[in-house]
Amino acid sequence: MPAVNVFLNATFPYVGEPVIWRLGKLFNVVTNILRAQVTEEYGQVTLVIEGSTSEIEQAVDYLHTLGICKEGKETAYPLKAELTAASPENSIPGDIKVHLTLNACNPVQASTPILHRISKDYQIVIDITRAAFDSETGGDIEMDITGKLTEVQRSIAYLHTTGLHVNPVQRSVTDFSNL
């Protein structure tokens, strides 16, 4: 399967949006983070995008249109406002949001596209809020998982089976319907 490395350099408003998650949903590509430095103000991510040649080209063109990737060429995509309005996260019910930290301690954990996997297997939205991560040494990724209660719970349960250290800010996830 063809693959390409891209370097993303984002500032507001794209730091606060699930751009990497969108690539899998919009273009059916596999995304794997090689390096990430993300704060509230900026995000710098080296990303491997795998898929068919046309899927990769569309994904890179999308990133170029957003202005967060300098690779690619000018495209006929809609204006940035239209891209955001047509975002796939609008189609996923999001009544629960959980903030958690993942910590990868070894290169095998760090080089596995786990975030891509849970975004494909569960009806959730993943938004990286902070990161200090390298696929060779590991590190931390803070993220928000949004979706229906059962989907969020199932995705977190899966994360616990991967060997990653999963540290949710909330210890239990509930919709408080039994109160």
Side-chain angles (χ1 to χ4, degrees):
M1 179 181 302
V4 64
N5 291 4
V6 295
F7 179 73
L8 309 180
N9 190 5
T11 57
F12 181 82
Y14 296 112
V15 167
E17 294 189 20
V19 173
I20 295 171
W21 174 85
R22 282 182 197 155
L23 296 175
K25 295 295 182 183
L26 291 172
F27 306 106
N28 199 33
V29 293
V30 176
T31 55
N32 195 9
I33 299 170
L34 293 180
R35 286 182 185 74
Q37 195 71 26
V38 179
T39 69
E40 295 170 351
E41 299 168 1
Y42 73 90
Q44 295 178 333
V45 178
T46 303
L47 186 66
V48 176
I49 300 174
E50 297 179 26
S52 71
T53 303
S54 65
E55 291 166 341
I56 291 171
E57 286 175 1
Q58 291 173 350
V60 172
D61 288 345
Y62 172 77
L63 295 169
H64 177 73
T65 301
L66 295 178
I68 61 175
C69 178
K70 301 304 177 199
E71 301 166 27
K73 57 186 180 302
E74 289 298 325
T75 65
Y77 277 107
L79 299 173
K80 291 179 187 178
E82 293 173 15
L83 287 170
T84 303
S87 299
E89 60 266 26
N90 297 336
S91 67
I92 294 181
D95 43 359
I96 298 292
K97 179 188 276 188
V98 175
H99 185 79
L100 58 93
T101 302
L102 296 180
N103 180 274
C105 301
N106 63 54
V108 173
Q109 291 173 336
S111 63
T112 305
I114 292 173
L115 297 183
H116 171 76
R117 169 97 189 259
I118 64 170
S119 71
K120 286 292 189 183
D121 291 350
Y122 305 100
Q123 289 294 313
I124 57 170
V125 177
I126 299 171
D127 185 15
I128 298 171
T129 57
R130 288 189 168 279
F133 178 82
D134 186 302
S135 65
E136 295 173 6
T137 57
D140 296 321
I141 295 179
E142 288 183 30
M143 62 187 193
D144 290 328
I145 298 178
T146 306
K148 287 198 165 289
L149 175 63
T150 55
E151 291 295 302
V152 170
Q153 289 174 328
R154 289 177 59 222
S155 66
I156 292 172
Y158 170 76
L159 288 171
H160 281 287
T161 69
T162 63
L164 294 170
H165 294 184
V166 181
N167 301 310
V169 172
Q170 300 161 264
R171 283 291 171 212
S172 65
V173 181
T174 182
D175 61 0
F176 301 106
S177 62
N178 294 341
L179 296 178

